[in-house]
Amino acid sequence: MPEKQTILVTGGTGFIGSHTCVELIEQGYDVVVLDNLVNSKVESLNRIERITGTRPRFYEVDILDREALERLFAEEPDISCVIHFAGLKAVGESCKKPWEYYHNNIAGSLELFDVMRAHGCKNLIFSSSATVYGDPEFVPITEECPKHTPTNPYGKTKTMLEDILVDLSAADAEWNIVLLRYFNPIGAHPSGLMGEDPNGIPNNLMPYITQVASGKLEELGVFGDDYDTPDGTGVRDYIHVMDLAVGHVKSIEFMAGKHGVNVFNLGTGIGYSVLDVVHAFESANGLTIPYRIKPRRAGDIACCYASAEKAERDMGWKAQYGIEEMCADSWRWQSMNPDGYGD
Ligand code: WQD
């Protein structure tokens, strides 16, 4: 039996991180989780264990705490690859707290990269975002589409970290980096045991819809119906979180023995409008979602969806879940866990 490869998942108790841990464990990897729990809960580890029968080794660590990072790498000398999710990620909050976002996301990541290389670990998968394309020059968006300065500090940290990693790789050919640009992650593990658990009033569309469905919120505000799209509402590429998780495992396999930086979009290649999602949610779950058209939200763009051809060609990865399954899985999670992971 080949030695199990040890993967460090930073931000591993978060939405995408925890679902990726499930997929890693089920694919035979040894998983270590680092998280400071600022935006997630240890309960997600209990759910990973309930689903897989294996509990990842967990370190409550802040990536800004260099000594704690050093201790972790000393205790876990077999880490062969890091999947780096840890970071603050609320668009609106980042506009109110730019210093905190640059400090945590940039300075924290720099500490992580430095401790990694000090311990001879230069295999990194970085959780990036379609936000680096800004208002895209063309759709479907390929990895060659020019990057535009995002409209918020959160998005700028993603662009900056991509550029930092490109420079690290140019200076040291031993770095082996995959940048994964997620489009709009939604859905939940089909068991209903894990899902998205935002703090406070959700900023993102799907968790807002599920809280309207559960009665926690009264109605959905649709931010603008005068965009240049088929029904006037914003179009996005929604991708199931389990498809994203598989994309990370495929990336580990892809990067074996490579060097340099490789970039992949993780999307479905299909754009859905806000009202398409509302109707798909209603159809998938037999529910009605009351909504009201409201003014556009500052910083929103009209249309953003991926070309996912490169990931399929180079990694053999293609999203498998459709929009109705995403809606059904999101609702199953919310209805089984009205208060998310609890306090
Ligand atoms: C989707 C569509 C809204 C809420 C953001 C980040 C991106 C990534 C995903 C972190 C838009 C509309 C939304 C609502 C609405 N996050 N909407 N009413 O803005 O595409 O992307 O989240 O990695 O980096 O930028 O996602 O879900 O907020 O919005 O009408 O209550 O739904 O206008 O058209 P977005 P979203």
Side-chain angles (χ1 to χ4, degrees), residues 15 19 43-44 47 187-198 207 210 327-342:
F15 174 40
H19 286 76
E43 178 59 25
S44 62
R47 307 297 177 92
H189 190 270
S191 66
L193 291 172
M194 289 171 57
E196 192 169 5
D197 184 20
T210 58
C327 292
D329 291 344
S330 290
W331 175 234
R332 187 178 306 108
W333 152 253
Q334 179 74 69
S335 54
M336 287 172 61
N337 304 271
D339 297 319
Y341 288 121

Side-chain angles (χ1 to χ4, degrees), residues 39-255:
N39 194 25
S40 58
K41 302 194 179 77
V42 170
E43 178 59 25
S44 62
L45 294 174
N46 299 335
R47 307 297 177 92
I48 291 170
E49 186 174 13
R50 275 178 66 183
I51 291 167
T52 66
T54 300
R55 186 182 188 84
R57 295 187 296 287
F58 173 59
Y59 294 80
E60 185 174 350
V61 166
D62 189 313
I63 52 175
L64 283 162
D65 183 348
R66 184 187 185 85
E67 286 173 17
L69 284 174
E70 289 281 7
R71 284 195 298 275
L72 189 161
F73 274 84
E75 286 177 33
E76 297 288 351
D78 296 331
I79 292 170
S80 65
C81 178
V82 175
I83 304 180
H84 182 33
F85 292 104
L88 298 173
K89 63 155 196 168
V91 169
E93 183 185 56
S94 76
C95 297
K96 299 187 184 95
K97 298 180 176 178
W99 187 89
E100 287 77 3
Y101 269 68
Y102 289 121
H103 186 231
N104 184 80
N105 292 5
I106 305 295
S109 296
L110 286 171
E111 293 296 347
L112 172 69
F113 303 157
D114 196 27
V115 172
M116 283 176 66
R117 68 180 182 173
H119 288 262
C121 177
K122 296 180 182 177
N123 296 317
L124 176 74
I125 296 171
F126 175 58
S127 164
S128 190
S129 167
T131 202
V132 303
Y133 297 112
D135 194 350
E137 288 201 11
F138 53 78
V139 288
I141 301 171
T142 65
E143 289 80 356
E144 291 67 43
C145 183
K147 290 166 62 173
H148 290 317
T149 305
T151 56
N152 58 82
Y154 156 76
K156 287 177 184 176
T157 65
K158 290 298 186 187
T159 291
M160 290 174 188
L161 285 167
E162 285 198 358
D163 294 345
I164 288 166
L165 288 167
V166 167
D167 289 344
L168 285 185
S169 171
D172 173 356
E174 288 183 5
W175 279 100
N176 178 16
I177 295 163
V178 168
L179 307 177
L180 297 181
R181 293 173 178 166
Y182 313 148
F183 281 69
N184 287 63
I186 62 170
H189 190 270
S191 66
L193 291 172
M194 289 171 57
E196 192 169 5
D197 184 20
N199 289 332
I201 305 284
N203 297 303
N204 295 134
L205 178 64
M206 183 53 79
Y208 202 103
I209 287 176
T210 58
Q211 289 194 21
V212 170
S214 70
K216 207 167 191 177
L217 295 170
E218 190 181 334
E219 69 175 6
L220 171 70
V222 175
F223 298 147
D225 67 347
D226 58 351
Y227 286 102
D228 181 16
T229 62
D231 65 15
T233 64
V235 170
R236 298 291 186 273
D237 185 329
Y238 297 95
I239 177 166
H240 198 294
V241 66
M242 290 313 295
D243 276 326
L244 273 188
V246 171
H248 289 77
V249 176
K250 289 284 191 183
S251 297
I252 294 172
E253 295 162 4
F254 164 82
M255 66 199 292

